[in-house]
Amino acid sequence: MDVGGSGIKGCLVDLDRGELIGERVRIPTPQPALPDAVCDVIGEVVGQFGYEGRVGVTYPGVMKSGVAYTAANMDASWIGTDMAASVESRIPGTVQTLNDADAAGLAEMAYGAGKGQRGLVLMLTFGTGIGSALFIDGHLVPNTELGHIEVDGKDGEKAASAAAREREDLSYPDWAKRVDRYLDTLERGIWPDLIVVGGGVSKKAHKWVPLLSTRTRVVPAELLNDAGIVGAALAAEQRIGQ
């Protein structure tokens, strides 16, 4: 299960190949995105597959021991909510929760653009906000939340997210300049060896990635919008997450 600010998606996953089994189910995220309403939808999606095993569930924020600690793109009532317990009360199986970008990163490191990469790899997902996942020699450093670093006096994701591009009707070249500025700030702090960019906008990577001037190599994610679901399933199987 991959929970986002605009949609809640789920599917069975073949973990040998890192691929979805059949068609995924997507239901718009309830507005406002209150915990009970969102968990109801998660339960509904899981129920459509008749699945009774362990379920991986992503959340767009900091997640520790099944509890949400932030809610930048969700309703503030999420803070302090035990998401794992709430979802488990609605499904026949058990739950592994983790940050949504961490899930996408796990999928890319296992099956996609980060497979076999050593050193410091940074996965960034551009969507409603900017999610981040950091890996050192393939090991996840959870809950980095680098979309909220300050760039020119404000949250980086406020100017450089995919939502900002759509909201301000920016061309890809103009938006790429903002992404460049954001990445420049990141590079000064963590010096990654590879940056993988994901989210829906990665499908059009050819329109903006070549325009970036980062010293770090930037490559588009290979699993695209399936990465969150695949990573959630992998986290559930390996019990990775917080």
Side-chain angles (χ1 to χ4, degrees), residues 56-89:
V57 180
T58 76
Y59 173 77
V62 173
M63 179 65 61
K64 288 178 173 282
S65 300
V67 176
Y69 277 70
T70 64
N73 295 302
M74 300 289 277
D75 190 85
S77 60
W78 272 98
I79 298 174
T81 294
D82 189 333
M83 184 183 199
S86 185
V87 174
E88 284 185 354
S89 71

Side-chain angles (χ1 to χ4, degrees), residues 6-218:
S6 60
I8 298 172
K9 300 164 287 186
C11 196
L12 298 175
V13 177
D14 179 341
L15 289 176
D16 290 328
R17 303 174 65 180
E19 297 177 354
L20 302 189
I21 301 173
E23 294 294 320
R24 71 178 185 178
V25 173
R26 182 187 186 279
I27 295 177
T29 303
Q31 300 299 328
L34 300 175
D36 282 342
V38 168
C39 291
D40 283 345
V41 172
I42 294 171
E44 179 183 346
V45 173
V46 173
Q48 290 192 37
F49 292 97
Y51 181 72
E52 298 183 358
R54 190 163 178 79
V55 177
V57 180
T58 76
Y59 173 77
V62 173
M63 179 65 61
K64 288 178 173 282
S65 300
V67 176
Y69 277 70
T70 64
N73 295 302
M74 300 289 277
D75 190 85
S77 60
W78 272 98
I79 298 174
T81 294
D82 189 333
M83 184 183 199
S86 185
V87 174
E88 284 185 354
S89 71
R90 291 165 165 82
I91 66 172
T94 57
V95 170
Q96 177 73 53
T97 57
L98 73 164
N99 171 269
D100 59 347
D102 286 349
L106 287 172
E108 289 296 330
M109 294 299 289
Y111 308 106
K115 186 176 181 179
Q117 294 288 329
R118 306 292 290 176
L120 193 65
V121 178
L122 174 62
M123 169 83 180
L124 296 171
T125 58
F126 291 86
T128 305
I130 299 176
S132 64
L134 193 64
F135 296 84
I136 300 176
D137 290 335
H139 297 285
L140 174 66
V141 180
N143 292 316
T144 49
E145 291 292 284
L146 296 177
H148 299 296
I149 65 167
E150 187 173 293
V151 180
D152 298 327
K154 58 184 178 182
D155 238 18
E157 71 176 23
K158 298 298 183 184
S161 67
R165 185 189 72 82
E166 295 172 359
R167 183 174 60 249
E168 300 181 41
D169 196 24
L170 298 172
S171 67
Y172 277 100
D174 285 341
W175 181 63
K177 292 177 184 177
R178 296 194 183 187
V179 175
D180 224 13
R181 177 63 181 149
Y182 167 71
L183 294 179
D184 180 60
T185 302
L186 279 181
E187 285 186 311
R188 289 201 303 270
I190 62 175
W191 286 76
D193 297 295
L194 176 70
I195 297 174
V196 180
V197 292
V201 75
S202 64
K203 290 184 291 187
K204 298 184 178 180
H206 63 284
K207 292 187 175 183
W208 59 279
V209 170
L211 302 178
L212 303 177
S213 63
T214 57
R215 61 171 170 260
T216 307
R217 184 164 65 100
V218 180

